[in-house]
Amino acid sequence: MLPTDSFFTDLDQTLTAFTDADRPRLRKMVEELGRMAERVPSVAEKCYAYQARLYARLQEYEQALAAVDRAIAFAPFDRDLVILRGDIHREAEEFSKAMLDYSHVLEQDSQAVTARIHRADMLLAAGKPAQALQDINDALKHEPRSLRLLYRRGLVLADLRRIAEACADFRQVARLSPESELRKKAEQRLRELGEA
């Protein structure tokens, strides 16, 4: 099989709607991606990146990391691949390695918002909310209209017991969000903080 846009679209849909019943199908896709990468070197990086995502979904982290490293060998300056490797390390509970990958991307590009958000999540989970807040504030400098980032900042501010600031962020998200789910989450947080 040659790689086609519809094959990659099918991969995306399978990853998004994954259930345990999809495991055999994912295994076949992993094998097919390996064959495609060998036959069509021009898409090898893309094939290995998808392979890594599929292995991660199957919770086979060693294979996922090997696949993403193969993709990085083809595209060593692709920051999305390094972020993907960090995400796989995080799923595998290799938190220090995930932090290294996210920090490496940020050393190369301080405007890499995805790496900054993922690192903030790691810092928050590690009990370092002040550092997480700094990363979220830096991300907001690059994406000032992101209501999802504003919501995250509200969560961190609430964790830091800076309730008035957290409520201001949640009110803004509740007022401006076109997404009903995000708006409802912000409204719920306001109720929990006694501000509804």
Side-chain angles (χ1 to χ4, degrees):
M1 173 186 248
L2 291 176
T4 63
D5 289 339
S6 62
F7 178 77
F8 291 116
T9 300
D10 187 37
L11 277 170
D12 286 329
Q13 290 171 347
T14 302
L15 283 166
T16 301
F18 174 77
T19 66
D20 276 340
D22 294 319
R23 286 182 176 280
R25 185 169 182 226
L26 260 61
R27 292 204 182 285
K28 287 180 183 175
M29 289 176 155
V30 163
E31 292 170 10
E32 189 60 38
L33 285 163
R35 287 190 291 273
M36 283 182 195
E38 290 174 9
R39 284 191 300 232
V40 188
S42 62
V43 295
E45 172 262 321
K46 187 175 185 176
C47 290
Y48 290 134
Y50 270 105
Q51 218 180 30
R53 289 182 183 98
L54 292 171
Y55 275 129
R57 191 55 65 125
L58 293 166
Q59 297 180 326
E60 296 176 11
Y61 301 117
E62 189 175 321
Q63 294 91 330
L65 290 167
V68 78
D69 284 340
R70 285 191 294 274
I72 290 171
F74 280 92
F77 302 108
D78 187 329
R79 69 179 187 201
D80 292 331
L81 291 174
V82 178
I83 292 170
L84 174 60
R85 185 173 62 194
D87 293 347
I88 295 167
H89 280 302
R90 181 171 57 173
E91 287 180 43
E93 298 184 2
E94 296 174 337
F95 302 120
S96 61
K97 291 179 180 179
M99 286 292 288
L100 285 173
D101 279 334
Y102 300 143
S103 295
H104 175 74
V105 169
L106 290 167
E107 288 168 8
Q108 305 302 314
D109 180 6
S110 64
Q111 296 182 25
V113 172
T114 301
R116 197 162 293 285
I117 292 167
H118 291 207
R119 189 172 76 174
D121 290 344
M122 297 284 303
L123 289 166
L124 193 56
K128 299 177 180 179
Q131 290 175 294
L133 179 61
Q134 181 61 50
D135 267 349
I136 291 170
N137 281 333
D138 288 344
L140 274 164
K141 289 176 189 172
H142 302 293
E143 291 187 14
R145 295 180 186 202
S146 171
L147 295 174
R148 289 195 169 279
L149 279 173
L150 198 59
Y151 178 79
R152 280 178 191 258
R153 185 172 72 182
L155 293 174
V156 175
L157 288 167
D159 194 49
L160 288 167
R161 310 304 305 153
R162 293 166 56 179
I163 304 303
E165 293 170 87
C167 287
D169 284 350
F170 292 139
R171 273 193 294 278
Q172 191 170 353
V173 172
R175 191 176 74 247
L176 298 175
S177 181
E179 294 179 46
S180 63
E181 184 178 325
L182 184 60
R183 186 172 50 252
K184 286 177 186 177
K185 285 181 177 181
E187 290 167 350
Q188 176 62 34
R189 293 294 178 172
L190 285 167
R191 281 191 293 278
E192 290 170 1
L193 296 171
E195 294 288 323

